[in-house]
Amino acid sequence: LPDAHFLNYSREAGVKVVIFDPNYCPTAEKSDEWVQLAPDTDGAFALAAAKHIIDNDLYDREFMANFTDQPILIDTATGKRILADAVVGLSAVPAPDYRTSYVMLHGGTPFAVDPEHVGITADADLEAEVDLPLKDGTTAHARTGFSLLRERLEPYTLEYAEEVTGIPADTIARIARECATIKPMHIIFGGAGEQWYHGDLKGRALALLACLTGNIGQLGGGISTYVGQ
C-alpha cells in the first residue's frame, strides 16, 4: 500500500501494468490486464514464456553473451563450469582470488574468460558443443549454458503451461512477446510465490525472463521483490 501511488504514476506515464493473481485483488483492479493463473504456477508460466522467447529468436543475444553465464562451457558429465586452467592450451586470466576464469568459445575456438571485464564477449558462441582436452589427460564433453537451457526448456510448451496455469496458450505467447519487444520491462515478485515451496526456483524462472530480454541494469527495467520491505 505505501507504494501504490508509484503504480498509478507508472500507468499515467504510459506503462502497461499486468498482474498475475488467482484472485481479482485491488491491484488487479488498477492494472491494465489481469491474468488469472492457478495458485503456485508462476514458474510454469515463466518457463513457457522463456521457451517461446528463445524459440522465436526474441531474446537479446548481445546481453546474454555479455552479462550472463550462458556462453560458459559446462562439463556435461559433472554439470560444472570448466576452469580455464584445466584446459590444454589455456591459462586463467589473472584476477582477484574471488574471481574465476572459465571457458567460452569464439567461432568454435576456446578462450579463457576475463572475469573482471564485461563487454568483451559479445561474439562468444551462445550455442555450441565441443570436446575439450584437459591437462589431466582426460577429455571433457562440454556444452554452453545456453544450449543446456534450451534443452531444459523443451517440456515447457505453451500447451503444457496452459494446462498447468489455466492461462490460454495464446495469452502466454502474447505476453512473452511483449516482454521481449517492449522495453523497459520490470518484474515484481510477490510474497505469495516467493515464500512457499520452491520459491527460489520460481524467482529464478521469472528472473530468466528479464535476463533473456536484456532488462537487467536498464533504467526502469529489472526485477524487484515486494516481500518484507
Side-chain angles (χ1 to χ4, degrees), residues 39-174:
D40 200 37
T41 61
D42 316 70
F45 164 82
L47 294 175
K51 173 176 169 57
H52 187 76
I53 288 171
I54 291 176
D55 288 348
N56 290 276
D57 293 325
L58 297 173
Y59 59 92
D60 188 327
R61 191 204 177 284
E62 184 176 357
F63 182 88
M64 293 294 285
N66 271 312
F67 301 111
T68 75
D69 62 358
Q70 294 300 283
I72 292 177
L73 290 176
I74 309 296
D75 187 332
T76 58
T78 65
K80 296 182 178 181
R81 301 180 182 95
I82 296 177
L83 300 175
D85 267 340
V87 179
V88 173
L90 294 183
S91 297
V93 176
D97 291 340
Y98 56 84
R99 299 290 191 194
T100 304
S101 183
Y102 297 115
V103 183
M104 293 183 185
L105 297 175
H106 179 261
T109 302
F111 68 93
V113 178
D114 182 348
E116 284 287 283
H117 298 88
V118 296
I120 60 173
T121 59
D123 294 328
D125 301 339
L126 264 184
E127 295 196 68
E129 189 168 359
V130 66
D131 289 323
L132 291 177
L134 303 182
K135 293 176 181 177
D136 64 3
T138 63
T139 299
H141 182 70
R143 298 176 65 187
T144 61
F146 192 77
S147 295
L148 295 172
L149 173 64
R150 185 191 288 273
E151 181 180 273
R152 184 61 62 89
L153 290 175
E154 277 304 310
Y156 295 94
T157 62
L158 296 176
E159 293 72 25
Y160 168 83
E162 178 177 5
E163 181 180 351
V164 172
T165 67
I167 306 172
D170 58 349
T171 299
I172 299 174
R174 173 180 56 79

Side-chain angles (χ1 to χ4, degrees), residues 200-216:
D200 57 333
L201 298 180
K202 286 184 285 186
R204 290 179 183 222
L206 290 164
L208 176 60
L209 293 179
C211 292
L212 283 171
T213 56
N215 277 291
I216 301 294

